[in-house]
């Protein structure tokens, strides 16, 4: 079945450590997105990529970095500069078709600080 | 900029009750509108969508109508079930990205 796979499901970060969250899709979608979800705040966009080797900052990009070397993969690195990384992180993708196309989501990674 | 406002939760209902979750939006142009549902510990799933004024999206007994004159997209269901307990997000498709509301938690008791 086609879908989006995020791993790991749970991740723990130590002080000063960078951690990378994986997101892989086999939907042949061009666009991919990373969101952060905090209780009572809905989803906030971190980074997005419309095409391979290109990506743009979202609303809360500080302390995060991404790469898009392959169409199916869009890993997110939470750097030590992100002082409050504890959250639920969601990856999503969209096919071509403009504004009518919904986003498909993975099951998320929950990141906590040790 | 574009924004979505949802009613605050939690919304607590008994099984078979009627559900309404209000959603209003502010946007330039004519965005597509979506409702997503999130079950505990999972990602978001598309529930329904509408792409132009007066469109009605429907799925699994849920409905929402795109009302341009009131800039609203309220979610309704005639008879909720315990399995409908989840968080519901209203969203609009702006330029290159989705804009989400803060979500409304629905709790349905037997």
């Amino acid at each position: 079945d086609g879908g989006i796979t995020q791993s790991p499901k749970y991740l723990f970060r130590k002080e000063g450590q960078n951690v990378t969250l994986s997101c892989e899709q086999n939907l042949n979608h061009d666009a991919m997105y990373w969101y952060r979800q905090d209780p009572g705040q809905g989803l906030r966009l971190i980074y997005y990529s419309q095409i391979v080797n290109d990506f743009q900052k979202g609303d809360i990009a500080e302390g995060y970095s991404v790469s898009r070397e392959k169409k199916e993969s869009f890993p997110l690195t939470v750097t030590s500069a992100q002082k409050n990384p504890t959250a639920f992180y969601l990856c999503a993708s969209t096919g071509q078709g403009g504004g009518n196309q919904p986003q498909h989501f993975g099951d998320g990674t929950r990141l906590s600080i040790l | 900029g574009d924004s979505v406002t949802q009613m605050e939760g939690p919304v607590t209902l008994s099984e078979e009750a009627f559900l309404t979750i209000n959603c209003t939006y502010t946007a330039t142009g004519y965005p597509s509108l979506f409702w997503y549902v999130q079950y505990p510990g999972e990602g978001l799933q598309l529930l329904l969508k509408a792409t132009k004024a007066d469109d009605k999206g429907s799925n699994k007994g849920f409905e929402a109508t795109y009302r341009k004159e009131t800039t609203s997209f309220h979610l309704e269901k005639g008879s909720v079930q315990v399995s409908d307990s989840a968080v519901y997000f209203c969203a609009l498709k702006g330029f290159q990205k989705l804009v989400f509301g803060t979500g409304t938690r629905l709790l349905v008791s037997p």
Side-chain angles (χ1 to χ4, degrees):
Chain A
D1 287 340
I4 299 177
T5 302
Q6 290 188 242
S7 61
K9 193 171 179 66
Y10 299 96
L11 187 59
F12 298 91
R13 196 191 88 169
K14 296 179 181 178
E15 286 289 334
Q17 184 182 42
N18 293 352
V19 292
T20 297
L21 285 61
S22 171
C23 177
E24 303 278 333
Q25 54 99 359
N26 60 4
L27 299 166
N28 199 34
H29 284 171
D30 289 308
M32 298 187 73
Y33 307 81
W34 273 106
Y35 294 93
R36 170 179 170 138
Q37 186 177 22
D38 295 281
Q41 293 192 42
L43 277 69
R44 292 183 290 169
L45 183 64
I46 305 172
Y47 269 98
Y48 63 104
S49 168
Q50 299 284 331
I51 197 169
V52 174
N53 291 324
D54 187 46
F55 48 83
Q56 287 79 41
K57 293 182 179 180
D59 301 317
I60 55 164
E62 185 174 350
Y64 300 96
S65 66
V66 293
S67 63
R68 186 86 187 277
E69 298 176 1
K70 298 185 296 182
K71 185 176 184 177
E72 58 269 24
S73 178
F74 191 40
L76 173 73
T77 297
V78 184
T79 74
S80 57
Q82 173 48 248
K83 298 306 180 187
N84 184 23
T86 298
F88 190 50
Y89 290 86
L90 287 163
C91 180
S93 69
T94 307
Q96 292 185 354
N100 296 342
Q101 295 301 312
Q103 290 187 2
H104 298 256
F105 284 82
D107 283 340
T109 293
R110 189 166 299 280
L111 176 62
S112 303
I113 294 199
L114 283 177
Chain B
D2 297 345
S3 66
V4 175
T5 302
Q6 285 182 241
M7 60 188 292
E8 288 195 21
V11 173
T12 305
L13 296 172
S14 298
E15 205 164 25
E16 299 183 1
F18 184 84
L19 168 71
T20 300
I21 299 178
N22 290 338
C23 170
T24 57
Y25 67 90
T26 302
T28 54
Y30 304 99
S32 294
L33 301 174
F34 305 86
W35 276 100
Y36 285 85
V37 57
Q38 184 180 34
Y39 299 100
E42 297 183 8
L44 275 67
Q45 301 174 25
L46 178 68
L47 183 59
L48 54 84
K49 71 176 185 180
T51 58
K52 61 183 186 297
D54 300 324
D55 265 3
K56 177 185 282 188
S58 61
N59 185 25
K60 300 181 182 178
F62 291 90
E63 293 182 340
T65 301
Y66 191 140
R67 301 286 188 199
K68 180 170 170 288
E69 63 277 11
T70 55
T71 61
S72 64
F73 193 53
H74 305 322
L75 182 68
E76 296 181 336
K77 187 175 185 182
S79 175
V80 294
Q81 305 301 312
V82 172
S83 57
D84 293 328
S85 298
V87 179
Y88 293 81
F89 290 91
C90 185
L92 67 83
K93 183 69 182 297
F95 178 65
Q96 292 188 331
K97 58 184 182 178
L98 280 179
V99 176
F100 288 89
T102 54
T104 302
R105 182 175 299 278
L106 171 65
L107 301 171
V108 181
S109 57

